Amino acid sequence: MTNKIMWRGIGALLLMLLLLSSNVCAQTDTLLYPLKNVPLLSGNFGELRATHLHSGLDFKTGGREGLPVICVKDGVVARVKVSATGYGNALYLEHEGGITTVYGHLSRFVPRIAKVVRNIQYNKESFEVDENMSGYELRFRAGDTIAYSGNTGSSGGPHLHFEVRDTKSERALNPLRFLSVKDQTGPSVRGVYVYPISNEGVRNATRRVEVKNTGNRVFRGGKVGVPAGMVGIGIQSDDYMKDSWNKLGVYDLSVSANGQEVFKMTMNELSFDETFLVNELKDFHHYRENRLVYLTFGNYQEQLLSVRNQNGGFIPVEKDSVVDVTVDLSDINGNRSSIMFQLWGKSPSRELVLTDEEKLLMNHQNDSLKQGIYTLWLEADALSYPIVCKPEVSSRLRDSVETIEVFSTGKQIYPLMKNARLVVGGKFPEKSVICLLEKSNRFAALKTRWTKEGLEAFPRVLGEYTVRQDTIAPVVLYTGRAGQKIRFKMVDDLSGISSYRVEVNGKWCLFTYDAKNRLLEGNINEPVFVKGKNRLVLKVEDAVKNIATFETDIYKK
């Protein structure tokens, strides 16, 4: 009898475990695809971008706009955001189970949502809105169409941006924990980089290690000589899925030294507070040259939810010793690649010697650079690691005619985890702005304000700066009518367009703005238009309050 009771208990326990496991599977497989077509990705979760870690999936739409976007699970519209940049037209839906889904770059909303948004825009007299929609009870069932795909905001081409977030924490979750895509290909391996680290923490000259595929996606790099001391590893890799040419990010990446794991990255969730840490995980300078190199070491990587490491991921290499390094990479479907090579310790690097003009900036302490009228302050932990800089002020021929004064922090641009404070002392003409000097001597105006000390801005990189005066108002080009559409182009050559307002017959009129294409567009069927002649007045203001006004008559039949 006792054995029967025991076996019944074991059977009940096994049944309960089976039910629990099936519930877990159901919880991770409860979402529909947000598009009806075969899911192909042009971007995946955790992918390294210029200024952030990608927080969702980018679904291809075949270069088309207007595809129906599907509610992936029963839910209610919690938020609507309309912007000329970022996600453009975006919807946020809350669902049972504690998740929120986000749909970005939409061309338009379904009428039930569009009517509410339009009323908000007219009440606030603003095209751009960011509205809590919890009071509107806009409920949708799984499979309902909620919007149509597009190319609004900062999108680089037609696609659908889709996210899954934890509603309570607002952390982004990897949507491929709730959806699946066909993928039989492991991450590619382009090469390995080694970063010898000086005693001061400065990264010395980086060396690229060629690797060879020896079969079954196992890559070998042989023995690599490095100065004895601490060494960091960078992996040049990306991922692909079947039938898509787009480079995707790696899901899982680990590094072991002599069998001990020193770095582990798994892209399951992200916090939007981590945005400033993206350059802890990628080589900033290689990225600017279109090479995607994952850094498996860093002084601040432990602040990333997706990463854990030992001693910052740095590998100690003693003189005349050999360290076996193994790197494992995989996508979320379990397709794997691996890299094997050795680090051989040679003589240590010579001590760091600075010239009179150079300065060592330490990452963990406050510091400043001063040259002439320029002073740049750095907070502690603004730098990822110590750097050697050489601040100077020089005159430079920008083109065949103009000479400009440039304040440079050194030969290379370095990203910052905290904004620096840059002050240019003295008196300047009205509407002067501090500019970052970019490639080909292009000016990128920084948000500038006047203080008792002079001009002040807060750059996010160490680079080259100059001061320009913006006295030219934005240029407004009326490109005419196309059917029911009325279109303008708005261009500003320096500080950038900060606001615009369209009035028809003295009343505010809704016009949509596409910042990337500089396109302002309205519809003659807006209620402020009447039959016959309509007086349209467009005012455009840039960041230093130069104003352009354009007036014309629009006739409606």
Side-chain angles (χ1 to χ4, degrees):
M1 180 68 70
T2 303
N3 287 339
K4 286 184 178 180
I5 294 173
M6 181 182 71
W7 284 110
R8 283 175 184 172
I10 293 172
L13 178 62
L14 290 172
L15 179 61
M16 183 174 68
L17 291 173
L18 181 62
L19 289 172
L20 284 173
S21 66
S22 65
N23 285 339
V24 170
C25 291
Q27 288 171 8
T28 58
D29 194 25
T30 55
L31 302 186
L32 302 176
Y33 291 113
L35 294 172
K36 291 182 177 179
N37 58 331
V38 176
L40 283 178
L41 303 183
S42 59
N44 66 341
F45 184 82
E47 189 176 303
L48 303 180
R49 299 288 177 88
T51 59
H52 62 282
L53 294 157
H54 193 230
S55 54
L57 303 178
D58 287 341
F59 284 95
K60 290 187 170 220
T61 60
R64 296 170 292 168
E65 298 184 40
L67 299 184
V69 175
I70 305 305
C71 179
V72 298
K73 182 180 180 180
D74 293 358
V76 60
V77 178
R79 177 185 176 194
V80 170
K81 187 170 184 180
V82 177
S83 174
T85 57
Y87 290 175
N89 296 331
L91 276 179
Y92 300 69
L93 270 70
E94 287 187 6
H95 312 271
E96 289 186 358
I99 63 169
T100 296
T101 54
V102 183
Y103 312 77
H105 307 305
L106 306 169
S107 60
R108 66 188 191 278
F109 309 120
V110 292
R112 189 150 59 105
I113 301 173
K115 183 178 179 181
V116 175
V117 174
R118 180 182 172 81
N119 287 338
I120 294 169
Q121 289 172 314
Y122 266 95
N123 288 336
K124 294 188 173 183
E125 295 191 352
S126 173
F127 160 66
E128 297 204 349
V129 295
D130 188 354
E131 195 76 7
N132 184 322
M133 304 290 284
S134 57
Y136 291 93
E137 288 296 312
L138 293 168
R139 295 189 175 276
F140 291 87
R141 304 284 293 181
D144 289 347
T145 298
I146 54 176
Y148 297 89
S149 67
N151 188 31
T152 56
S154 301
S155 169
H159 72 280
L160 173 68
H161 176 84
F162 175 71
E163 292 181 16
V164 179
R165 299 185 185 181
D166 180 278
T167 301
K168 186 175 180 180
S169 69
E170 296 186 352
R171 288 177 177 174
L173 309 177
N174 192 333
L176 292 182
R177 292 164 57 184
F178 304 85
L179 301 168
S180 63
V181 294
K182 292 182 178 180
D183 184 4
Q184 297 86 29
T185 306
S188 66
V189 176
R190 312 289 184 191
V192 173
Y193 289 83
V194 293
Y195 300 75
I197 310 298
S198 75
N199 292 332
E200 298 81 8
V202 176
R203 295 179 189 175
N204 293 324
T206 305
R207 178 179 172 185
R208 189 175 194 275
V209 181
E210 298 294 336
V211 292
K212 183 178 180 181
N213 189 347
T214 58
N216 297 321
R217 305 199 67 79
V218 175
F219 297 79
R220 297 187 182 274
K223 186 183 290 187
V224 183
V226 295
M230 290 295 183
V231 176
I233 302 298
I235 307 299
Q236 186 179 358
S237 177
D238 42 51
D239 194 23
Y240 293 89
M241 66 178 294
K242 187 179 180 182
D243 300 323
S244 176
W245 57 266
N246 299 81
K247 294 180 181 179
L248 305 176
V250 173
Y251 168 70
D252 190 274
L253 170 59
S254 66
V255 178
S256 296
N258 287 338
Q260 182 178 357
E261 186 176 84
V262 297
F263 173 90
K264 177 72 170 177
M265 176 194 82
T266 306
M267 283 296 178
N268 278 328
E269 62 179 313
L270 298 170
S271 168
F272 290 98
D273 294 334
E274 298 174 351
T275 296
F276 67 96
L277 290 167
V278 64
N279 291 305
E280 274 289 281
L281 205 52
K282 78 168 192 284
D283 187 307
F284 173 82
H285 299 105
H286 281 308
Y287 189 88
R288 286 168 59 86
E289 301 299 328
N290 296 316
R291 291 188 294 272
L292 188 59
V293 177
Y294 285 85
L295 299 180
T296 65
F297 64 98
N299 293 305
Y300 302 91
Q301 283 187 350
E302 72 278 1
Q303 297 179 34
L304 286 158
L305 286 174
S306 55
V307 171
R308 67 175 187 267
N309 59 30
Q310 296 292 326
N311 299 319
F314 299 98
I315 299 174
V317 182
E318 296 181 2
K319 188 176 185 300
D320 297 326
S321 69
V322 175
V323 177
D324 293 316
V325 179
T326 301
V327 181
D328 290 309
L329 309 97
S330 71
D331 59 29
I332 201 166
N333 286 4
N335 300 302
R336 293 191 166 276
S337 301
S338 62
I339 311 168
M340 297 177 185
F341 62 98
Q342 295 178 315
L343 297 175
W344 168 44
K346 302 171 70 175
S347 297
S349 298
R350 291 179 295 178
E351 290 187 8
L352 185 66
V353 178
L354 302 178
T355 67
D356 291 339
E357 297 82 15
E358 291 179 327
K359 182 174 183 177
L360 176 64
L361 297 175
M362 301 302 293
N363 57 304
H364 58 270
Q365 65 188 34
N366 298 333
D367 217 324
S368 64
L369 300 173
K370 183 173 177 60
Q371 282 287 313
I373 61 174
Y374 300 85
T375 307
L376 186 141
W377 284 273
L378 290 167
E379 288 186 47
D381 302 320
L383 293 168
S384 293
Y385 54 92
I387 65 168
V388 175
C389 64
K390 185 179 179 181
E392 62 179 0
V393 177
S394 61
S395 294
R396 183 178 303 175
L397 195 64
R398 182 176 180 241
D399 51 36
S400 58
V401 177
E402 184 182 19
T403 299
I404 57 175
E405 182 180 84
V406 176
F407 168 57
S408 173
T409 60
K411 291 181 179 180
Q412 278 194 311
I413 291 178
Y414 288 95
L416 298 174
M417 297 196 294
K418 298 179 181 177
N419 290 71
R421 177 175 176 248
L422 175 61
V423 171
V424 186
K427 294 183 178 180
F428 292 90
E430 186 181 2
K431 300 183 179 181
S432 293
V433 291
I434 299 174
C435 297
L436 175 68
L437 202 60
E438 296 186 323
K439 289 182 178 180
S440 303
N441 288 330
R442 291 186 295 109
F443 298 120
L446 304 177
K447 187 176 181 180
T448 304
R449 64 186 187 187
W450 295 76
T451 70
K452 293 180 180 178
E453 299 168 274
L455 301 178
E456 180 184 58
F458 296 88
R460 203 55 190 257
V461 296
L462 294 184
E464 297 183 325
Y465 310 94
T466 190
V467 175
R468 304 291 292 174
Q469 189 180 16
D470 184 1
T471 59
I472 301 174
V475 176
V476 177
L477 303 172
Y478 176 46
T479 60
R481 287 176 58 177
Q484 305 300 312
K485 302 290 186 181
I486 304 164
R487 291 174 175 163
F488 295 89
K489 284 276 189 177
M490 304 192 305
V491 181
D492 189 76
D493 70 332
L494 189 56
S495 62
I497 292 169
S498 66
S499 66
Y500 69 90
R501 182 179 177 87
V502 181
E503 290 187 357
V504 177
N505 302 322
K507 297 180 180 179
W508 182 84
C509 184
L510 175 62
F511 269 63
T512 63
Y513 181 39
D514 178 357
K516 65 177 175 292
N517 292 315
R518 302 172 176 179
L519 177 64
L520 185 69
E521 186 176 78
N523 194 305
I524 200 167
N525 291 321
E526 292 294 329
V528 291
F529 284 95
V530 298
K531 288 186 177 181
K533 185 170 75 171
N534 295 267
R535 190 63 176 171
L536 183 149
V537 179
L538 167 61
K539 290 187 178 180
V540 185
E541 185 174 312
D542 67 15
V544 294
K545 300 188 182 305
N546 294 309
I547 298 175
T549 302
F550 182 90
E551 300 187 35
T552 189
D553 290 327
I554 303 292
Y555 291 86
K556 180 178 179 179
K557 293 181 180 179

